[in-house]
Amino acid sequence: MVHYRILFIVNPISGFGLGWEIPYRIRHIAAYKDIEYNIRFTEYAGHAKEIVEQAKHQNYTHIIAAGGDGTVNEIGTALINTGIAFGVISLGSGNGFARHLGFSQMMNKALKQILKSETTDIDVVEINGHYSLNVSGFGFDAEVAHFFSRMKIRGIFSYIYSIIHMWFRYPSKRYVFHIDGKTWEEDCFVLSVANSSQYGNNASIAPKASLRDGLVDVCILKRPKYYQIPRFLYCFMNSKIARLPYFSEIQCKEAILEGDLNKAHIDGDPYILESPVKVKVLPGVLKVIAPKLSRKKKNMTV
Ligand SMILES: Nc1ncnc2c1ncn2[C@@H]1O[C@H](COP(=O)(O)OP(=O)(O)OP(=O)(O)O)[C@@H](O)[C@H]1O
């Protein structure tokens, strides 16, 4: 029998503020009747990391982030090399990392998955000293992350507005790649470094990505021409982006990128980095709950 001592760290402003419901929901799930757990609400940006630092010395077996991708990154990266199992209750607008691991987007179901699912060790990607669990990048999607962070209203509609706004303004840029002993230059519209496969909402930029392969996927998308946009959107939302001739995905352990890389995003949050950017994978450093591994369907992997 697995012994549980669980800490839920809830960002009460994530998404629609549903995090406030978590204590009530847990009390009404029979499986939690005999489980030892605590719930902490964050009060400001960066608070989740401080809570994890204290919790590391309090014998927790599992720490669960209830929030969006920002909260997931803050808590997950603070748990690297601790051996404490990390899980997610999705409250954000995209929830790419949680979706890749197979967490339900329904709060009650995800709470039950925490108690029923296998755990596994996954990779984390280091980018100039910052840690990424999900998808990070430069180019168009970094520009979108910076624009979105300045908007007064958050949420999926503001995010879609930011994408459309930047699509017509952002020019492709030229970058230098140093990967596996080869060096080349290439124009990119999107330049992503992916640990998991998707940004969120099943929008997949790295269909080959696995969290357990010891590799980071460098994904290059050239700007689709206007008449290519419908097919691009179809492939992007259906994990078929690899079919597009203007997309490539390079799997490697390390990469060095040069060019105009100042504006970046790490798991969706805007960052300013300096070129050259060094990307490397840290294999198997984070223990996570992976509901997908507990499904009966064959070939399910994370
Ligand atoms: N109580 C709080 N008040 C203000 N900001 C907070 C608080 N708690 C956490 N934060 C910050 O809120 C930011 C956004 O959180 P998060 O990404 O979880 O939600 P979201 O933006 O709604 O989700 P998504 O990014 O998926 O749209 C994080 O950077 C986090 O540090």
Side-chain angles (χ1 to χ4, degrees):
M1 259 240 334
V2 185
H3 165 68
Y4 290 99
R5 179 171 149 77
I6 306 178
L7 175 64
F8 292 90
I9 303 178
V10 184
N11 179 346
I13 66 144
S14 288
F16 299 106
L18 289 178
W20 291 113
E21 287 189 16
I22 285 181
Y24 170 84
R25 300 278 188 115
I26 295 177
R27 278 200 299 275
H28 287 81
I29 296 175
Y32 276 89
K33 202 169 140 293
D34 297 317
I35 299 285
E36 195 185 342
Y37 67 86
N38 282 311
I39 303 173
R40 298 276 312 266
F41 288 90
T42 58
E43 289 162 20
Y44 45 86
H47 191 197
K49 216 178 193 85
E50 293 169 19
I51 297 173
V52 175
E53 290 308 322
Q54 296 161 7
K56 278 180 189 173
H57 312 290
Q58 295 170 348
N59 299 327
Y60 284 103
T61 56
H62 296 66
I63 293 187
I64 310 300
D69 290 330
T71 305
V72 167
N73 177 285
E74 207 175 311
I75 298 173
T77 57
L79 286 171
I80 290 172
N81 286 326
T82 59
I84 300 171
F86 174 54
V88 184
I89 303 289
S90 299
L91 300 178
S93 48
N95 311 310
F97 181 71
R99 285 177 196 264
H100 184 104
L101 287 172
F103 278 102
S104 171
Q105 300 301 294
M106 310 305 292
M107 196 187 284
N108 278 21
K109 194 166 174 204
L111 284 165
K112 291 177 192 164
Q113 285 176 322
I114 290 165
L115 301 183
K116 284 195 307 201
S117 306
E118 286 175 37
T119 59
T120 188
D121 293 331
I122 63 157
D123 310 331
V124 169
V125 173
E126 187 180 332
I127 304 168
N128 277 12
H130 303 283
Y131 298 114
S132 166
L133 304 182
N134 197 41
V135 179
S136 301
F138 312 90
F140 173 72
D141 50 346
E143 206 67 48
V144 169
H146 281 259
F147 183 80
F148 176 70
S149 71
R150 294 193 297 271
M151 289 188 77
K152 289 203 172 75
I153 304 168
R154 291 181 71 83
I156 185 73
F157 295 110
S158 299
Y159 203 75
I160 292 170
Y161 174 79
S162 307
I163 293 171
I164 296 169
H165 178 86
M166 288 317 307
W167 186 279
F168 297 103
R169 289 167 177 79
Y170 184 78
S172 293
K173 288 188 180 162
R174 199 157 186 83
Y175 300 100
V176 182
F177 296 79
H178 305 272
I179 300 178
D180 289 339
K182 287 188 205 139
T183 296
W184 74 97
E185 283 185 30
E186 200 167 334
D187 287 333
C188 306
F189 182 56
V190 171
L191 169 54
S192 289
V193 287
N195 195 33
S196 96
S197 56
Q198 59 165 287
Y199 290 115
N201 295 315
N202 298 324
S204 172
I205 187 69
K208 286 198 265 181
S210 156
L211 292 169
R212 299 193 295 173
D213 59 2
L215 298 170
V216 52
D217 294 35
V218 176
C219 301
I220 297 167
L221 180 76
K222 301 206 182 287
R223 186 190 251 288
K225 297 191 170 50
Y226 286 109
Y227 67 87
Q228 292 171 324
I229 291 175
R231 182 163 151 78
F232 162 71
L233 288 175
Y234 168 78
C235 291
F236 184 47
M237 296 309 298
N238 290 283
S239 294
K240 293 179 177 159
I241 199 168
R243 291 183 183 181
L244 302 173
Y246 48 89
F247 171 80
S248 52
E249 182 172 3
I250 304 146
Q251 297 191 295
C252 56
K253 287 189 178 7
E254 260 188 46
I256 294 175
L257 313 173
E258 288 180 88
D260 180 2
L261 296 157
N262 271 33
K263 276 192 183 164
H265 77 93
I266 295 190
D267 293 352
D269 278 344
Y271 276 74
I272 300 290
L273 300 183
E274 269 181 34
S275 177
V277 168
K278 186 169 181 192
V279 177
K280 73 170 179 183
V281 70
L282 310 175
V285 293
L286 179 63
K287 184 171 175 179
V288 295
I289 301 166
K292 218 186 246 177
L293 296 179
S294 305
R295 291 195 192 142
K296 292 208 173 69
K297 279 189 210 162
K298 277 189 188 156
N299 302 326
M300 275 292 180
T301 183
V302 294

